[in-house]
Amino acid sequence: MDRRTKTTAVGLIPLAVLAAGLSLDHIPGTNISLAVPYAAEGPGPTVDTLGAIEGVDVVDVRGAETFETEGNLNMTTVSVRSNMTLVQAIGRAIATDDTIVPIEHVIPPGRTAEEVDKENQLEFEGSERAATVAALDYLERPTHVEVAAVVDDSPAAGALKESDRIVKVAGDDVDEPAEVGAAVRRLKPGDELDLVVERGGEEREVAVELGENPHDEGAAWLGILMGEASSEGIEVDYNLEQIGGPSAGMIFSLAVIDKLTEEELTGGSFVAGTGTIEADGSVGPIGGIEHKIAAAAAEGAELFLAPRLNCDEALDAPDEALERMRVVPVDTLSDAVEAIDAFNSGGEQETCAAKA
């Protein structure tokens, strides 16, 4: 080689070493991480909650007559990539529509990825329970108050059991957990609370001496976690794995409503959406909506139901996604049902985006 070629070749060696180093996520032979402190958020998978996966209904309703459904009700997700090298992070920022965010946005300081995954799974399970109750309440199907758990060493320990149905509190019939909580708050630590519970098909009277709330000095404490359950024996299983968080709640509720209603909810349309759900039917905001809109549009959705508080962020979705489908804000489960009806009837609708 002549001198110029030799000089060029020698000069490329450190560049090659640097490039190789930037593509590593750890130092070979050690546990030292070279990953950048950022994560990439992008469109994730969408799932039709009216469909099935490997022959198993995504939303399986039992204990009541169900009806055939048409169209799609797709829940949407955000794909999160962490533990990236610098080269991978730059590549995703340049070549994709992913959002690059500090890793603290995904895994808060002082927490591990495993802990965050576990919390997301617990939120997902709570969302499932709320979705069922919200759907049953919307359909005016009867529900009752049920003991979900009894806190160890609490006043209720030994007196109440998991799955007890609370029928009366202080002589009054109760239908919602809030009514039980209100009865407890009217009393003081040391007061006795009289309840009627149903256990094993039989009603029994139970008296509990209330303690002091460990998180609210001077306030009375019973020591149970409560939920609502179907009085008709309706049960719903949500058969999805490796998906966490509460953001599928609204779509889950809509799927339950569709399956328990003879009339078609979607009218054969392709509906997608996102949003948390409370037992009272209120819909709450979520993260990454611009990526969920992009994913839904790519799958062919015509209507996207978005929490109203996410409307501004929805406009950050790619223009082609916003042009391809209608994005409608909702505050409640009733709003969502009405939005689908209006879309199918061709009526005018309020939208997050300019598309009408």
Side-chain angles (χ1 to χ4, degrees), residues 72-85:
N72 286 61
L73 270 174
N74 279 43
M75 59 163 286
T76 51
T77 66
V78 173
S79 176
V80 178
R81 295 171 178 84
S82 58
N83 199 35
M84 296 184 295
T85 66

Side-chain angles (χ1 to χ4, degrees), residues 12-353:
L12 288 174
I13 291 175
L15 292 177
V17 172
L18 177 61
L22 292 176
S23 65
L24 295 174
D25 59 7
H26 70 283
I27 297 176
T30 75
N31 291 323
I32 300 175
S33 174
L34 296 177
V36 294
Y38 293 92
E41 295 182 338
T46 76
V47 179
D48 181 13
T49 57
L50 299 180
I53 297 177
E54 297 182 354
V56 178
D57 286 348
V58 174
V59 177
D60 183 20
V61 181
R62 306 185 311 280
E65 182 181 10
T66 58
F67 302 89
E68 292 294 324
T69 60
E70 294 181 3
N72 286 61
L73 270 174
N74 279 43
M75 59 163 286
T76 51
T77 66
V78 173
S79 176
V80 178
R81 295 171 178 84
S82 58
N83 199 35
M84 296 184 295
T85 66
L86 180 59
V87 170
Q88 289 171 329
I90 293 174
R92 299 212 69 83
I94 294 174
T96 73
D97 290 325
D98 284 7
T99 304
I100 306 300
V101 298
I103 193 65
E104 291 81 6
H105 184 82
V106 177
I107 305 173
R111 310 273 279 287
T112 66
E114 291 73 19
E115 289 172 338
V116 172
D117 286 343
K118 185 175 181 180
E119 289 175 7
N120 283 339
Q121 187 57 41
L122 291 174
E123 287 184 334
F124 186 75
E125 293 170 1
S127 177
E128 293 175 336
R129 291 191 292 271
T132 300
V133 171
L136 294 177
D137 284 351
Y138 174 83
L139 294 172
E140 298 183 348
R141 308 287 289 249
T143 60
H144 60 260
V145 182
E146 190 170 89
V147 177
V150 179
V151 179
D152 292 339
D153 299 322
S154 70
L160 297 176
K161 294 185 177 181
E162 184 178 336
S163 298
D164 277 353
R165 173 179 176 177
I166 301 178
V167 180
K168 292 185 177 184
V169 176
D172 296 326
D173 293 338
V174 292
D175 298 309
E176 299 178 358
E179 295 173 321
V180 180
V184 172
R185 287 191 295 273
R186 286 194 291 267
L187 300 176
K188 303 184 299 295
D191 288 346
E192 190 170 83
L193 180 67
D194 295 320
L195 305 101
V196 175
V197 303
E198 183 181 301
R199 183 185 304 164
E202 296 182 357
E203 289 190 359
R204 61 183 68 194
E205 296 181 356
V206 177
V208 179
E209 182 179 326
L210 299 174
E212 183 176 38
N213 192 319
H215 305 294
D216 188 1
E217 186 177 354
W221 184 48
L222 179 58
I224 61 173
L225 301 178
M226 294 176 287
E228 288 181 69
S230 168
S231 299
E232 301 172 284
I234 297 174
E235 297 181 356
V236 184
D237 287 333
Y238 301 88
N239 298 305
L240 283 175
E241 297 180 359
Q242 299 181 337
I243 293 179
S247 64
M250 177 186 67
I251 293 295
F252 280 157
S253 281
L254 291 171
V256 175
I257 290 170
D258 202 1
K259 292 196 169 196
L260 287 173
T261 306
E262 187 170 4
E263 297 78 16
E264 275 297 329
L265 176 61
T266 69
S269 298
F270 191 142
V271 180
T274 186
T276 65
I277 194 74
E278 298 295 332
D280 65 1
S282 57
V283 174
I286 48 76
I289 191 167
E290 66 272 28
H291 299 303
K292 295 181 178 184
I293 289 173
E299 290 290 326
E302 304 164 272
L303 171 67
F304 192 95
L305 304 173
R308 183 176 296 278
L309 291 177
N310 287 129
C311 244
D312 289 343
E313 299 159 78
L315 298 179
D316 292 332
D319 289 342
E320 59 269 23
L322 296 173
E323 292 167 359
R324 195 175 301 171
M325 67 183 180
R326 186 177 298 183
V327 181
V328 176
V330 298
D331 290 305
T332 65
L333 187 57
S334 295
D335 289 347
V337 174
E338 291 170 5
I340 297 172
D341 288 341
F343 178 80
N344 287 326
S345 65
E348 292 186 4
Q349 287 183 280
E350 177 188 5
T351 64
C352 289

